[in-house]
């Protein structure tokens, strides 16, 4: 069979794939090849792909590589596709190999043969590297705003917690008394750093790889700095091979998702614990909990459990994107297509988790029981330190007091003046007041240490950061 005949059979009619590379081939792609290699995950980057092409074509026009008429026709077609993308009217076809092919196919339908000039001085290698950067920059902005929304919820809860005091824990044993608000705000600060990380990676993503071509630049007089500028990027690549081969920023973005998910997972774990009968610290609204098909009394914190579970998947995505890069010779390899499904899954999971957890938390009612007096042991030791007793001796004395009381089935709140006197000569009767957990928080003076005044400062600082205004 003649090549022409074959090509006619492959590409003329029917659902046969329309590839951007048919010239070299004498037979059509096998179904198995198509099914295995084509991944429509990239369709969500349609707007980004078109925006990148608009900048590219504008640059080509300015560089004299397209006539004004050609440029205008192509730009008109691309703007039409952009409008279709924005209104979700773009008609994808199974025969589109990828997002780039889909756009080029549609451009041809809209403007005819001049569409064939779109890909001048460009490769899908620099194009895909650009698309993912543009997409992730948009996604980062969304995640930052969601994280700030979460932080706002935590600040509200902290404000509502007032002077409620809880034990902090180390080794899952009651440690020091702290305001419940201080505990909740710890997660707000974590989320603010998560938002900062997205801001950082967003900055690094603002470097355009367009103009790197297939990986070795172009013999045509293109101006990558101009297309970068048109895209509102801060700069362009120094090395075309690095530009098309690297996916460290995709990995970094995935890490941002994974770390934020890990923070959400720790919070989720605490919510699960706190909602248990054993803790009894929190109740979530009925609408944010689920029931049991078997046990009528159950009210389960499924959102929190799934946030914890989904963190595992996102950690897996991070591992995947790291492993994806490790054995790849420069420059582009098709393996890199896998980065999209991976980073999108991580990002989608974080987005859904932030929405669900923020909403569940906003419905929370906290009612923790007061901590045991054991959480004031350090305060007793500090009473002695205040009188010049070396901390190590003070620690020993209070430790011995706790041991003696425990043996007698008592706790620190049961201590008498005689107990104190026996524990250390420098104790004074007034120190008995220190065994009240609320009093313990009241004495806290170290910056960031969770005194009530300090918590108020944190809330104000957080509200300022997320634009809630200082209340
Ligand atoms: N679908 C590809 C990806 O996601 C697009 C780039 C294809 N480039 C190529 N030379 N086949 O990486």
């Amino acid at each position: 069979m003649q090549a022409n005949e074959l090509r006619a059979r492959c590409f003329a009619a029917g659902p046969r794939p329309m590839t951007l590379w048919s010239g070299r081939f004498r037979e059509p792609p096998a179904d198995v090849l198509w099914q295995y290699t084509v991944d429509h995950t990239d369709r969500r980057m349609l707007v980004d792909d078109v925006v990148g092409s608009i900048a590219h074509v504008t640059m080509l026009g300015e560089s004299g590589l397209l006539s004004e008429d050609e440029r205008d026709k192509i730009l008109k077609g691309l703007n039409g596709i952009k409008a279709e993308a924005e209104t979700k009217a773009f008609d994808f076809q199974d025969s589109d190999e990828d997002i780039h092919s889909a756009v080029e196919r549609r451009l041809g339908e809209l403007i005819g043969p001049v569409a064939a000039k779109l890909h001048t001085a460009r490769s899908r290698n620099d194009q895909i590297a650009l698309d993912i950067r543009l997409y992730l920059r948009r996604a980062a902005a969304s995640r930052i705003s969601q994280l700030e929304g979460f932080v706002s919820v935590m600040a509200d809860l902290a404000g509502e917690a007032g002077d409620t005091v809880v034990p902090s824990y180390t080794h899952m044993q009651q440690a020091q008394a702290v305001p419940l608000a201080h505990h909740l705000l710890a997660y707000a600060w974590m989320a603010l750093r998560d938002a900062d990380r997205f801001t950082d990676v967003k900055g690094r993503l603002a470097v355009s790889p367009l103009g790197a071509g297939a990986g070795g630049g172009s013999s045509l007089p293109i101006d990558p700095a101009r297309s970068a500028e048109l895209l509102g990027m801060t700069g362009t690549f120094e090395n075309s091979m690095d530009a098309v081969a690297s996916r460290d920023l995709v990995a970094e973005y995935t890490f941002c998702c994974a770390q934020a998910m890990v923070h959400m997972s720790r919070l989720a774990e605490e919510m699960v614990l706190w909602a248990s009968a054993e803790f009894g610290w929190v109740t979530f609204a009925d609408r944010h909990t689920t029931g049991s098909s078997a046990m009528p009394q159950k009210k389960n914190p499924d959102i929190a459990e799934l946030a914890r579970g989904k963190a595992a998947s996102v950690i897996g995505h991070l591992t995947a994107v790291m492993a994806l890069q490790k054995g790849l010779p420069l420059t582009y390899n098709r393996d890199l297509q896998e980065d999209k499904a991976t980073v999108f899954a991580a990002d989608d999971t974080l987005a859904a988790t932030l929405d669900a957890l923020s909403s569940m938390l906003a419905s929370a009612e906290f009612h923790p029981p007061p901590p045991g007096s054991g959480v004031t042991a350090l305060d007793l030791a500090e009473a002695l330190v205040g009188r010049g007793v070396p901390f190590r001796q003070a620690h020993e004395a209070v430790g011995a007091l706790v041991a003696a009381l425990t043996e007698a089935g008592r706790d620190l709140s049961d201590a008498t003046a005689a107990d104190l006197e026996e524990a250390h000569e420098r104790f004074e009767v007034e120190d008995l007041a220190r065994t009240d957990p609320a009093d313990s928080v009241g004495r806290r003076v170290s910056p960031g240490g969770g005194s009530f005044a300090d918590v108020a400062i944190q809330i104000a600082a957080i509200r300022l950061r997320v634009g809630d205004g200082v209340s």
Side-chain angles (χ1 to χ4, degrees):
M1 201 182 299
Q2 287 303 303
N4 281 351
E5 223 178 298
L6 253 171
R7 291 188 55 181
R9 252 187 49 189
C10 300
F11 303 117
R16 301 308 309 180
M18 270 273 295
T19 67
L20 300 172
W21 36 265
S22 58
R24 164 69 181 80
F25 293 81
R26 298 208 186 281
E27 57 174 1
D31 285 349
V32 68
L33 172 119
W34 203 254
Q35 278 153 19
Y36 192 68
T37 61
V38 171
D39 174 11
H40 291 145
T41 309
D42 60 2
R43 288 184 175 179
R44 63 167 80 192
M45 299 188 298
L46 176 59
V47 167
D48 308 291
D49 195 74
V50 177
V51 163
S53 286
I54 289 173
H56 180 64
V57 166
T58 306
M59 179 279 288
L60 289 179
E62 289 175 8
S63 306
L65 289 161
L66 293 176
S67 71
E68 264 184 40
D69 182 50
E70 289 167 338
R71 181 201 59 193
D72 292 348
K73 279 194 180 123
I74 300 176
L75 285 180
K76 189 158 177 262
L78 288 172
N79 279 310
I81 298 175
K82 186 161 172 259
E84 289 179 355
E86 284 163 354
T87 56
K88 307 262 180 272
F90 187 91
D91 189 17
F92 284 105
Q93 295 182 7
D94 289 346
S95 53
D96 296 329
E97 188 186 14
D98 52 29
I99 188 71
H100 324 300
S101 317
V103 170
E104 212 169 308
R105 189 248 320 142
R106 182 67 184 136
L107 191 64
E109 289 164 7
L110 290 173
I111 65 169
V114 67
K117 292 210 167 186
L118 170 66
H119 214 49
T120 306
R122 192 177 65 173
S123 156
R124 285 183 295 170
N125 299 349
D126 56 347
Q127 201 178 349
I128 192 67
L130 174 68
D131 289 4
I132 191 67
R133 283 171 185 248
L134 294 176
Y135 178 92
L136 292 180
R137 275 173 62 73
R138 290 195 291 124
S142 285
R143 246 36 81 223
I144 290 165
S145 117
Q146 278 187 299
L147 282 161
E148 288 177 351
F150 164 83
V151 165
S152 247
V153 169
M154 297 312 273
D156 289 347
L157 293 175
E160 286 159 23
D163 57 6
T164 304
V165 170
V166 294
S168 63
Y169 288 80
T170 65
H171 311 269
M172 211 51 220
Q173 305 293 312
Q174 294 200 357
Q176 286 178 278
V178 289
L180 170 63
H182 195 49
H183 193 135
L184 297 173
L185 290 174
Y187 287 105
W189 293 109
M190 292 177 215
L192 284 173
R193 284 196 303 282
D194 293 331
D196 287 345
R197 263 185 284 276
F198 278 107
T199 303
D200 288 348
V201 72
K202 193 163 168 275
R204 271 185 287 282
L205 284 163
V207 173
S208 170
L210 203 55
S218 174
S219 65
L220 297 167
I222 53 169
D223 185 358
R226 178 62 181 143
S227 38
E229 186 189 356
L230 288 164
L231 288 164
M233 309 284 257
T234 53
T236 188
F237 56 92
E238 304 292 338
N239 181 310
S240 57
M241 296 179 76
D242 172 38
V244 299
S246 297
R247 291 296 183 272
D248 53 305
L249 297 179
V250 176
E252 187 179 347
Y253 190 97
T254 312
F255 172 76
C256 293
C257 296
Q259 184 58 67
M261 280 301 295
V262 165
H263 286 152
M264 291 303 131
S265 181
R266 291 186 78 168
L267 170 60
E269 163 63 8
E270 298 216 282
M271 292 308 115
V272 171
L273 272 179
W274 293 6
S276 68
E278 288 69 17
F279 265 80
W281 285 28
V282 69
T283 306
F284 297 109
D286 280 3
R287 66 183 180 282
H288 286 111
T289 48
T290 60
S292 158
S293 63
M295 297 164 282
Q297 85 283 11
K298 295 294 293 295
K299 187 171 160 179
N300 299 328
D302 283 21
I303 289 179
E305 291 165 57
L306 280 168
R308 196 175 54 189
K310 285 170 191 283
S313 306
V314 176
I315 292 167
H317 298 316
L318 177 59
T319 308
V321 76
M322 297 306 290
L324 182 64
Q325 304 166 77
K326 68 176 271 302
L328 292 186
L330 300 188
T331 54
Y332 179 81
N333 298 273
R334 191 67 181 271
D335 314 43
L336 291 175
Q337 176 167 289
E338 293 291 311
D339 69 342
K340 256 75 69 196
T342 308
V343 68
F344 293 159
D347 189 48
D348 292 350
T349 304
L350 176 61
T353 301
L354 286 171
D355 273 354
L357 263 190
S358 299
S359 173
M360 185 192 84
L361 284 161
S363 84
E365 275 182 33
F366 293 94
H367 38 69
S373 57
V375 296
T376 63
L378 183 54
D379 297 83
L380 279 180
E382 286 180 351
L384 293 178
V385 169
R387 290 178 201 122
V389 177
F391 177 73
R392 194 47 57 214
Q393 283 175 22
H395 184 288
E396 278 289 311
V398 178
L401 170 64
V402 169
L405 288 168
T406 305
E407 276 163 23
R410 300 156 71 207
D411 64 23
L412 275 179
S413 63
D414 302 319
T416 61
D419 293 322
L420 286 193
E421 202 179 327
E422 198 182 319
H424 200 285
E425 60 191 14
R426 305 298 303 271
F427 268 128
E428 290 176 13
V429 177
E430 74 209 36
D431 295 333
L432 287 176
R434 291 196 174 229
T435 60
D436 172 24
D439 185 74
S440 164
V441 172
R443 287 173 198 276
R444 208 69 47 79
V445 291
S446 62
S451 67
F452 292 117
D454 181 75
V455 163
I457 291 168
Q458 290 183 56
I459 294 175
I462 285 169
R463 289 206 188 286
L464 204 59
R465 247 306 290 276
V466 300
D468 275 357
V470 180
S471 60

